[in-house]
Amino acid sequence: MALKIVMFSDYICPFCYVGFETMRRLKPEFDFQIEWRGFQIHPDWPAEGIPADKLRGAGDGATRQALWKRISGMAEAVGFSMKPPTVFTNSRAALAATEFARESGRDEALEERIYRAYFNDGENIGDAGVVARLAGEAGLEEGEVADAIRSPKYELRLKNNSLAAHQRGVSSVPTFFIGEFPLVGAQSLDAMRAILKRATERFAS
């Protein structure tokens, strides 16, 4: 039986992108099933986005540069690249689209495309039209995704994700639950490999 992992994450979180790619890289090495659960960390941010240099509390230029040097290094260690976003935006449309994609098993493909669009291509994933186009590139039907983003059905799922996160004590992302064991924050490839190895051995015994 596969090890069950739940990952609470948000598209606008760079460490979630690192965690997402880390788990994808480790999939061939371990028998696990991962369930991605969208959890908005800034539902107050507008869909049109806030220019990165206008966001209050983002720190000064030197602080942001140092942070992104660290994040870029983490990404490169996993085997991909990322850049700081040009706007900070609301992720609701992207998360709703992902809930729809999960029904056809295309959620991982869509997640990869959305992360890459936000952290490499400078796209505003708060724009429902942009999200629908990205979903089309991931193999989904754009019109169906556009309808899903507006649907109360997927809005309810996002609320349920948030409720589940709060019930489990999740206050930041990424947060992984490996079985019932919580793990907060993006890990290096080697650290996550060691964690999964121990969890697999414990699960099998």
Side-chain angles (χ1 to χ4, degrees):
M1 186 182 298
L3 181 68
K4 183 178 179 182
I5 300 173
V6 177
M7 178 183 174
F8 288 93
S9 59
D10 194 358
Y11 286 120
I12 60 175
C13 164
F15 296 104
C16 292
Y17 190 13
V18 172
F20 172 78
E21 289 293 347
T22 298
M23 298 307 290
R24 292 181 76 214
R25 297 298 190 278
L26 291 172
K27 260 188 173 181
E29 300 179 34
F30 297 94
D31 182 18
F32 66 78
Q33 291 180 342
I34 188 160
E35 180 182 340
W36 316 98
R37 300 289 292 272
F39 178 54
Q40 267 193 294
I41 54 175
H42 284 293
D44 51 311
W45 286 357
E48 63 271 19
I50 304 169
D53 59 351
K54 302 293 185 184
L55 183 67
R56 293 179 181 176
D60 59 26
T63 300
R64 290 197 300 270
Q65 188 175 17
L67 174 63
W68 273 97
K69 184 176 180 180
R70 177 190 168 206
I71 292 169
S72 297
M74 293 176 70
E76 288 171 8
V78 179
F80 71 108
S81 63
M82 58 193 298
K83 298 182 292 190
T86 56
V87 297
F88 293 102
T89 190
N90 190 299
S91 58
R92 197 210 71 83
L95 293 173
T98 306
E99 289 298 322
F100 171 77
R102 183 170 290 118
E103 295 177 350
S104 60
R106 294 186 177 273
D107 48 314
E108 185 175 311
L110 178 57
E111 288 182 74
E112 189 281 329
R113 185 65 193 97
I114 291 174
Y115 274 125
R116 184 159 42 89
Y118 189 57
F119 286 112
N120 281 292
D121 304 338
E123 301 235 37
N124 181 7
I125 61 168
D127 185 318
V130 169
V131 173
R133 174 175 55 76
L134 296 172
E137 294 174 12
L140 293 147
E141 207 285 315
E142 287 189 36
E144 292 181 355
V145 173
D147 289 342
I149 290 171
R150 296 188 296 267
S151 170
K153 173 182 177 180
Y154 301 102
E155 179 69 23
L156 179 60
R157 288 193 186 175
L158 295 183
K159 289 180 179 178
N160 288 340
N161 284 352
S162 180
L163 178 61
H166 287 302
Q167 288 175 337
R168 288 189 168 198
V170 174
S171 59
S172 63
V173 291
T175 295
F176 302 86
F177 284 88
I178 302 173
E180 294 303 314
F181 174 72
L183 178 66
V184 180
Q187 311 295 314
S188 71
L189 200 60
D190 286 342
M192 185 59 85
R193 180 181 286 114
I195 290 166
L196 291 178
K197 186 174 184 296
R198 289 197 302 271
T200 300
E201 290 169 351
R202 190 181 307 119
F203 185 74
S205 61

